[in-house]
């Protein structure tokens, strides 16, 4: 049994928070450059230039790419041969989020309860944590800083099998139209298909942090990703919603087996900031 220390997890998570919020991942940088070359609208091109410049300034000065540094969503892949010593794993994650957001001067955007007092927790905890037990003796941590301008535009629909591919495309188009300029396009959209209601939503979230430029390993779903990207980029929304053909950088689809009577579909929208960082301990 390999041991991983509580304090090492705290330190790593704190670092991931600052890194995710201040440094664009290489796939997003590349997506911006590609989009700039393909964008047909002069205004759209100029907005892409400004967003590229914004990313460079953020990285150089280590300041956040956007003022909304999001709610922390953490995906854990815990090897079954790992033992956490010195404390409880979820406490370590939240302690790391606290250190990262307070020490990194990132905006604290989380409220204690959602409906009545909505009092800020002042340290951006708790994180939303999704844990999977996997083979091996490593601990994988992916931290996504999820802004709510885009999160609020996400959709979940319980379709029936007869709705088929056209039904999925209709839900997707509905989400893109609903998002319009408010989700700060160009978007990275995660689509989760199958499973149950909550599984589809989690798949969509996982898809939203998948690398831009990657494709689903099943060619049928890879083709669907391309078709959905075309739908998004033909919508005319464009960079920051001011028109153009770069409404999305990528549409990533993840799927799971489902019930004979169902076809759950979830669309999770990520803005151009699409912030996430990963470490393996
Ligand atoms: S949607 Fe993204 S870019 Fe827009 S305000 Fe929120 S975090 Fe910032």
């Amino acid at each position: 049994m390999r041991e991983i220390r509580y304090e090492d997890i705290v330190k790593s998570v704190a670092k991931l928070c600052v890194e995710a919020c201040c440094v664009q991942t290489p796939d997003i940088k590349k997506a911006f450059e590609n989009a700039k070359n393909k964008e047909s609208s002069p205004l759209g091109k100029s907005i892409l230039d400004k967003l590229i410049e914004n990313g460079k300034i953020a990285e150089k000065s280590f300041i956040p790419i956007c003022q909304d540094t999001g709610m922390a969503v953490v995906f854990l892949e815990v090897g079954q041969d790992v033992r956490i010593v010195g404390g409880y794993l979820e406490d370590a994650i939240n302690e790391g989020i606290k250190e990262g957001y307070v020490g990194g001067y990132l905006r604290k955007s989380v409220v204690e309860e959602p409906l009545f007092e909505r009092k800020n927790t002042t340290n951006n905890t708790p994180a939303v944590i999704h844990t999977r037990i996997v083979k091996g003796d490593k601990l994988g941590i992916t931290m996504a800083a999820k802004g709510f301008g885009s999160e609020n535009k996400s959709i979940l629909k319980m379709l029936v099998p007869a709705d088929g591919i056209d039904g999925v495309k209709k839900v997707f188009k509905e989400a893109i139209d609903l998002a319009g300029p408010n989700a700060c396009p160009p978007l990275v959209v995660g689509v989760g298909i199958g499973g149950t209601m909550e599984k589809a939503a989690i798949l969509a979230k996982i898809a939203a942090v998948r690398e831009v430029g990657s494709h689903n390993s099943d060619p049928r779903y890879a083709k669907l990703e391309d078709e959905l990207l075309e739908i998004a980029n033909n919508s005319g929304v464009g960079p920051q919603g001011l028109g153009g053909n770069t409404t999305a950088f990528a549409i990533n689809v993840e799927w799971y087996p489902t019930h004979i009577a169902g076809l759950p579909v979830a669309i999770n929208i990520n803005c151009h900031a699409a912030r996430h960082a990963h470490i393996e301990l």
Side-chain angles (χ1 to χ4, degrees), residues 66-70 145-151 182-184 240 271-275:
C66 175
Q67 41 75 37
D68 178 2
T69 48
K146 196 65 190 69
F148 264 53
S150 51
E151 187 73 1
N182 296 326
C184 302
Q240 293 297 287
C271 57
H272 71 270
R275 296 153 301 187

Side-chain angles (χ1 to χ4, degrees), residues 91-138:
D91 288 345
I93 301 298
N94 281 316
E95 192 59 31
I97 299 292
K98 190 169 141 188
E99 275 190 19
Y101 274 76
V102 174
Y105 303 101
L106 307 175
R107 195 181 89 182
K108 291 82 183 169
S109 309
V110 175
V111 295
E112 271 174 23
E113 55 78 30
L115 197 53
F116 297 101
E117 291 184 13
R118 294 187 63 88
K119 218 170 129 206
N120 197 302
T121 63
T122 73
N123 55 25
N124 222 49
T125 66
V128 174
I129 304 173
H130 301 288
T131 307
R132 278 182 64 222
I133 307 294
V134 297
K135 288 180 190 164
D137 62 357
K138 303 266 184 332

Side-chain angles (χ1 to χ4, degrees), residues 63-76:
I63 53 174
I65 298 161
C66 175
Q67 41 75 37
D68 178 2
T69 48
M71 185 167 193
V73 179
V74 178
F75 294 100
L76 296 176

Side-chain angles (χ1 to χ4, degrees), residues 56 68 78 126 163 166 202 248:
K56 285 182 183 160
D68 178 2
V78 186
D163 290 321
D166 287 346
I202 293 169

